[in-house]
Amino acid sequence: MKCIICDSKVEYFFSKIYDKYPFKEMMKHIGEVDYYKCSNCGFTISKTHQELDNKKFEKLNYDFHHYLENCETDVNQPPYLEQSMMINVLLKNQILEDDMLDYAGGYGTLSKSLKKYFDISLPVYDPYVQSDDFSNYVEKKDLKTYKTVVTSALFEHILTREGFDEINALVDANGGGSLIIHTVICENIPKNPDWFYIEPPVHTTFHTNKSMSILMKQWGYEASIYCLSAKSWILLKEASQEIKEKVENINKEFQTEYLIYKEGFVDYWKGF
C-alpha cells in the first residue's frame, strides 16, 4: 500500500472500535477501523473506510451530517463566524478575489453567514447535500475554475488522490488563485484511538505539516497564510512581497498576529 500524497510505503498504525452513541449505531455494519500511516510524510488514512463500497461510505456521511444538522452535539464544528470574518478581511485587502466557490459546502452554513453579516456571495457545490431553503447551489455541470476555492472540514474526509486533485483542479492557476483549507494539520498524528479528531466516524484522512507541504508543492502553490481564529490555511499560487506586506499591515491594524504569511506551508501546529 502506497501513500496517496508522496507514494511512500504506508504501514499499519492502530485500530479503533466506535462503541459510543450515536456513532456506535452508524458504524455497526463497518466494525473495527484500521489506520495506516505513511513512513515518510506521516499522512494517515483509514484503510477500512478506503475499502468500503461507495454506497456504504455515502450512507455513513449522510447519517453523520444529518445528525449534526438536527441534534445538539458537542462534536467539534468549523468556526463559521471566524471563517466569514477572515474571508471578509482577505477580500477587503485584495488578498483574495471574489470569484469564489465553497466546495462540499453542505447545507450552506458558511455561505449563509457571509451573506447575512458581510453581504458576500459564496456559491456552494456539494455532490451529496442540498437544502430546500438555500438557493445558492452550483450544479456539477456548471462548475468552472475559480480564483478562490473554499473547503471547510473537508480534507479529513477524502480517501483518494483523485478526490484531492479534483478540488485543486477548480482553482484558477492563472493570475494567482488560492485554496482555503479548514482542517487539522499537525506535526505528528497521535497514536491514540481516543484522539478528538477521529471521534467523528467520517474523519478518515489526517494531514501532517510535511504531507501538506508536499501536496501544496505538487499542486504548484508557492506560499500560504494561516489564520488561527478561523483554523484555516490559504494556499497561494504565487508568493508575493505585496501580500506579505498586506498581512503585516492587517496585523498592525488589529494589533495582534491575526494572520501568518510564509513562503511554503505555514507549519503552525508543532506540539502534537
Side-chain angles (χ1 to χ4, degrees):
M1 184 175 174
K2 295 293 185 70
C3 176
I4 64 174
I5 303 299
C6 72
D7 207 34
S8 298
K9 184 179 179 181
V10 174
E11 300 171 335
Y12 173 78
F13 194 28
F14 65 87
S15 298
K16 177 183 177 70
I17 295 175
Y18 285 87
D19 55 4
K20 297 178 182 177
Y21 179 84
F23 305 142
K24 179 180 179 179
E25 286 298 307
M26 295 179 192
M27 295 293 289
K28 66 182 179 181
H29 298 302
I30 296 172
E32 189 173 47
V33 180
D34 297 326
Y35 298 91
Y36 280 67
K37 182 178 180 180
C38 177
S39 58
N40 175 44
C41 71
F43 177 81
T44 299
I45 189 167
S46 164
K47 189 170 183 284
T48 302
H49 286 82
Q50 197 175 40
E51 292 175 346
L52 288 178
D53 63 61
N54 287 337
K55 287 186 177 179
K56 276 190 177 180
F57 190 58
E58 288 175 12
K59 184 178 186 309
L60 175 62
N61 275 276
Y62 175 83
D63 290 347
F64 176 78
H65 289 101
H66 183 75
Y67 168 76
L68 287 188
E69 290 295 320
N70 292 281
C71 301
E72 290 187 8
T73 176
D74 58 359
V75 172
N76 192 29
Q77 284 289 80
Y80 291 116
L81 177 58
E82 289 80 4
Q83 288 177 317
S84 300
M85 174 66 78
M86 177 195 72
I87 290 171
N88 181 56
V89 169
L90 293 171
L91 285 171
K92 292 289 187 184
N93 286 275
Q94 298 181 316
I95 295 173
L96 296 182
E97 297 186 47
D98 62 3
D99 176 28
M100 300 190 296
L101 176 74
D102 187 357
Y103 186 94
Y107 294 93
T109 305
L110 178 60
S111 181
K112 291 174 184 176
S113 172
L114 277 167
K115 187 62 179 176
K116 181 174 181 178
Y117 295 105
F118 300 103
D119 198 27
I120 293 170
S121 176
L122 177 62
V124 174
Y125 168 72
D126 196 295
Y128 305 114
V129 175
Q130 289 198 1
S131 172
D132 293 337
D133 67 350
F134 181 65
S135 60
N136 203 15
Y137 282 110
V138 176
E139 299 290 336
K140 186 173 184 177
K141 63 181 177 62
D142 297 321
L143 288 174
K144 58 183 185 68
T145 57
Y146 302 83
K147 291 297 184 183
T148 302
V149 174
V150 181
T151 66
S152 186
L154 173 63
F155 267 46
E156 62 273 21
H157 298 261
I158 300 170
L159 288 162
T160 66
R161 181 54 190 256
E162 291 77 16
F164 287 114
D165 290 341
E166 182 178 315
I167 299 165
N168 178 60
L170 292 171
V171 179
D172 186 353
N174 300 314
S178 57
L179 174 62
I180 296 177
I181 301 169
H182 166 268
T183 189
V184 167
I185 303 170
C186 52
E187 187 70 10
N188 296 292
I189 306 304
K191 191 175 185 178
N192 179 7
D194 296 322
W195 185 39
F196 83 100
Y197 215 57
I198 61 172
E199 180 184 1
V202 292
H203 286 190
T204 59
T205 50
F206 309 98
H207 303 263
T208 66
N209 291 323
K210 185 174 182 180
S211 70
M212 190 56 64
S213 179
I214 291 170
L215 186 60
M216 70 173 283
K217 287 178 182 176
Q218 291 172 348
W219 282 344
Y221 294 93
E222 295 181 351
S224 59
I225 296 170
Y226 182 61
C227 179
L228 176 59
S229 62
K231 299 293 192 297
S232 297
W233 284 264
I234 304 93
L235 307 187
L236 304 167
K237 286 289 187 182
E238 297 178 359
S240 165
Q241 180 64 27
E242 180 183 2
I243 290 179
K244 181 181 178 182
E245 291 174 357
K246 286 180 177 180
V247 166
E248 291 171 352
N249 289 333
I250 291 167
N251 291 341
K252 288 178 183 176
E253 182 180 22
F254 292 150
Q255 299 182 38
T256 189
E257 192 176 50
Y258 179 65
L259 301 172
I260 300 169
Y261 174 90
K262 179 181 177 180
E263 291 192 13
F265 182 68
V266 180
D267 50 347
Y268 182 87
W269 295 100
K270 293 285 196 177
F272 65 100

